Amino acid sequence: MTGVSGASTPADYFDGMYRGTSDPWDLAGRWYERRKYGLTVASLPRRRYRSAFEPGCSVGVLTSLLAPRCDRLLATDRVPAAVRAAADRTRDLPQVDVERLTVPAQWPEGRFDLIVLSELLYYFDDIALREILDRTVESLEPGGTLVTVHWNHPVAEHLRTGTELAPLLTSVPELQTLTDHRDPDFVLHTFARRHPDGRPVLSPAAEEGLV
């Protein structure tokens, strides 16, 4: 993994972002975010998921869009204000649980068939990023889906852009790349956890016998 300068973004940065505002990045208002979330959800190769995990859920805008595709969705964030906002946004979605949790130091038990890492990985240094990817692979069921999407412009608090994260993600041996979308503003990938016996994970068309 290519080294980066500086340590992971400190916790007080996130606390400060939520101080005095309920949605510091205007995730619920900007057309950019609505379009990106639409593409994120559209990239999911399965119609429905049994158990999903979304760390770094912020105020729960993407959470609310993922929920109709999931039997159970665990959404987490490290900032109490974000957890409260996400819980309020999803209060009418009984399949959603919102909890305070800090990755990678804390990680939920169990296995998931969907993990969504949205606007998260660029905050972490090499060691923490490797731990998150290792925990993601360990938690993801064979054939399960991993979605990653990240802003692709330099930001002082970000250690990498979406383009710089891409080769690190696509080189994880346990992950099979399904979608590689390069937008001018963000990079979106969907991956599948490879089957232990080496069988490829089928595309949606192959699953339905179209190819």
Side-chain angles (χ1 to χ4, degrees):
M1 182 174 291
T2 303
V4 297
S5 59
S8 297
T9 305
D12 58 5
Y13 164 75
F14 303 99
D15 294 328
M17 288 296 296
Y18 285 92
R19 193 170 296 124
T21 178
S22 60
D23 186 1
W25 291 279
D26 195 15
L27 302 180
R30 287 196 176 111
W31 165 244
Y32 163 78
E33 298 291 351
R34 292 170 58 191
R35 172 179 176 270
K36 181 190 68 176
Y37 290 151
L39 289 169
T40 301
V41 175
S43 75
L44 299 177
R46 295 186 187 176
R47 183 175 301 183
R48 193 155 189 87
Y49 291 88
R50 176 189 58 79
S51 182
F53 175 40
E54 183 202 1
C57 68
S58 188
V59 297
V61 179
L62 179 57
T63 311
S64 65
L65 298 174
L66 293 168
R69 303 279 292 274
C70 302
D71 296 334
R72 177 180 177 270
L73 171 57
L74 173 61
T76 69
D77 203 279
R78 68 184 301 164
V79 181
V83 172
R84 290 192 295 270
D88 184 62
R89 186 180 300 277
T90 60
R91 64 184 181 277
D92 295 326
L93 299 170
Q95 71 271 45
V96 176
D97 294 316
V98 182
E99 299 178 6
R100 186 182 181 190
L101 182 148
T102 301
V103 296
Q106 299 169 304
W107 199 269
E109 296 181 356
R111 302 291 292 277
F112 304 93
D113 57 354
L114 173 63
I115 297 178
V116 178
L117 305 178
S118 177
E119 308 296 355
L120 178 70
L121 297 179
Y122 44 53
Y123 290 119
F124 296 96
D125 61 23
D126 284 358
I127 295 174
L129 177 58
R130 172 51 59 195
E131 184 175 354
I132 289 174
L133 295 179
D134 287 347
R135 286 181 174 270
T136 296
V137 169
E138 292 169 2
S139 301
L140 194 60
E141 296 177 353
T145 302
L146 167 64
V147 181
T148 66
V149 55
H150 292 90
W151 179 246
N152 201 34
H153 300 285
V155 176
E157 294 80 14
H158 297 181
L159 276 68
R160 297 176 174 90
T161 63
T163 294
E164 291 166 339
L165 281 165
L168 306 179
L169 295 167
T170 57
S171 66
V172 176
E174 296 90 349
L175 298 178
Q176 173 186 331
T177 304
L178 301 178
T179 302
D180 187 335
H181 177 81
R182 306 297 177 108
D183 191 272
D185 295 318
F186 62 88
V187 176
L188 184 151
H189 284 94
T190 59
F191 303 93
R193 170 75 191 270
R194 297 183 188 276
H195 292 292
D197 60 7
R199 287 181 294 121
V201 177
L202 298 179
S203 69
E207 284 278 7
E208 294 192 318
L210 301 177
V211 293

